[in-house]
Amino acid sequence: MATYFLRSSLSRRRIFVSSLTIALANVAVFLAFVLMRSGQLEVKETSVLIGFAVASGVFSAILAIGLLPFLEMTFGILAPTRLLELLNPTHPLLKKLLVEAPGTYHHSMMVANLAETACEAIGADGLLARVGAYYHDLGKTRRPLYFIENQHGLNPHDRLTPPESARVILAHTDDGVELLEEAKIPSVIVDICREHHGTSLLRYFYVKATEQGEVNEADFRYSGPKPQTREAAVIMIVDSIEAAVRSMKSPTESGIQELVKKIIREKLLDDQFSDCEMTTRDIYRVGESACHTLSGLFHERIEYPELKKEELK
């Protein structure tokens, strides 16, 4: 009974519900054995043993909640309580991201909102996706000014060749993995950081390099691996979508929809989802979810009339 009720979540509420079902199951089994033994129930004995049966279920929940931190460390279980700890804005890594790469921090928050909503739309783990999105670009704190969201006019890539720029950008996934492993972050989150670009091509610098001569395409691809889980795949999609929509000068609902379809087609043609259990329908539902969320964020606003100088006096 406990396994049945906890198969989808280890939240405290689910543990409590499972404890009640364990108690009911205990009572049912006890009554069945008593009836098979004698065919009749003694009030005093039955009341005492039913009390023990109920207490057994309740105390099992108390023990489970109390032992959960130790079970997490021993068996690598990633419970919601641990995920909620990682969402705390005062976590050292999130504070590091906010201070050293504020643009990336804001981007990560946006990706987290998109990823959680999209995961819920396809039945994936929204909380895990949100946490993974918070930390997926942590590696950018090593060289924050080389990423456009952290730049303020000066672009360091102007002084680099396309292959040099590509090496800096491509390194941020490995840098993030290194920082997360040093901080003992759960391996599921580390894997999302490692996989969120898959083996995608860094197209901007690749095209720029080909204009200057023949180049090796492999030098402009992320090392991978491709996303192994649905949550990592969702973050890959919405990460690209958020960055692309942010670069639009005048985002409109139709413009966002066309851009999202283009990004998804490119990912599919590049075979980035072959290693995870994502159906084509799931992929397009992620796109639809992202369009709906982004359309709400970039809705058209009315233009306020300016006051005349006489009115300001």
Side-chain angles (χ1 to χ4, degrees):
M1 294 298 289
T3 303
Y4 176 79
F5 277 93
L6 295 176
R7 69 190 187 282
S8 60
S9 172
L10 277 175
S11 66
R12 292 180 181 176
R13 181 178 178 278
R14 297 288 293 183
I15 292 175
F16 177 71
V17 171
S18 73
S19 74
L20 297 180
T21 61
I22 292 171
L24 292 174
N26 286 343
V27 172
V29 172
F30 159 68
L31 292 175
F33 273 100
V34 169
L35 291 172
M36 284 192 294
R37 183 187 66 185
S38 61
Q40 58 184 357
L41 301 173
E42 294 183 8
V43 176
K44 185 177 180 181
E45 179 190 20
T46 301
S47 300
V48 170
L49 291 178
I50 285 178
F52 275 112
V54 173
S56 170
V58 173
F59 279 108
S60 69
I62 295 172
L63 283 171
I65 293 172
L67 293 173
L68 198 54
F70 302 99
L71 296 174
E72 288 176 10
M73 291 185 287
T74 304
F75 299 104
I77 300 170
L78 191 59
T81 50
R82 177 64 173 137
L83 290 173
L84 291 172
E85 287 176 11
L86 294 172
L87 286 178
N88 193 327
T90 62
H91 191 285
L93 291 182
L94 291 180
K95 289 173 71 175
K96 175 183 175 69
L97 187 63
L98 176 60
V99 172
E100 299 180 15
T104 300
Y105 179 86
H106 181 263
H107 162 72
S108 298
M109 299 302 108
M110 291 288 292
V111 171
N113 291 330
L114 293 170
E116 183 176 34
T117 306
C119 279
E120 289 171 354
I122 64 171
D125 192 334
L127 179 59
L128 174 59
R130 172 172 283 277
V131 177
Y134 270 35
Y135 294 90
H136 80 287
D137 271 344
L138 185 67
K140 292 182 179 181
T141 57
R142 287 273 174 90
R143 306 172 190 86
L145 294 180
Y146 285 87
F147 299 89
I148 192 168
E149 66 266 25
N150 300 310
Q151 295 172 4
H152 300 282
L154 182 65
N155 188 347
H157 290 287
D158 294 338
R159 303 191 302 269
L160 303 178
T161 63
E164 290 172 336
S165 294
R167 281 195 292 272
V168 173
I169 301 298
L170 295 173
H172 87 271
T173 52
D174 293 331
D175 290 338
V177 168
E178 186 178 332
L179 290 169
L180 291 170
E181 288 179 339
E182 287 175 0
K184 308 297 184 190
I185 299 299
S187 60
V188 179
I189 307 301
V190 178
D191 290 339
I192 287 176
C193 177
R194 183 184 286 114
E195 299 164 8
H196 78 275
H197 279 297
T199 57
S200 299
L201 179 67
L202 198 58
R203 193 172 300 278
Y204 176 82
F205 289 110
Y206 174 70
V207 171
K208 196 173 179 181
T210 55
E211 292 173 352
Q212 300 176 5
E214 189 174 342
V215 293
N216 183 8
E217 184 180 302
D219 295 335
F220 293 83
R221 283 190 175 273
Y222 285 92
S223 57
K226 297 174 183 178
Q228 306 293 303
T229 62
R230 299 167 80 195
E231 291 77 18
V234 168
I235 290 174
M236 168 186 271
I237 296 170
V238 299
D239 181 36
S240 298
I241 290 172
E242 199 281 334
V245 171
R246 184 195 295 267
S247 67
M248 295 176 69
K249 292 182 179 179
S250 301
T252 61
E253 187 171 349
S254 59
I256 291 173
Q257 289 175 352
E258 288 302 315
L259 184 60
V260 168
K261 289 177 183 176
K262 178 184 176 184
I263 290 171
I264 289 176
R265 280 197 300 268
E266 289 178 353
K267 298 294 183 187
L268 285 169
L269 290 172
D270 204 21
D271 197 30
Q272 291 299 314
F273 308 112
S274 58
D275 292 349
C276 63
E277 298 179 357
M278 283 279 281
T279 64
T280 305
R281 177 58 185 151
D282 285 342
I283 293 168
Y284 279 101
R285 285 179 71 185
V286 169
E288 291 167 5
S289 172
C291 284
H292 179 73
T293 305
L294 289 170
S295 296
L297 291 173
F298 294 101
H299 62 275
E300 189 174 338
R301 292 176 171 84
I302 62 170
E303 185 175 339
Y304 290 96
E306 293 185 8
L307 294 175
K308 296 178 181 180
K309 290 183 180 180
E310 293 78 8
E311 295 175 335
L312 292 172
K313 292 180 181 180

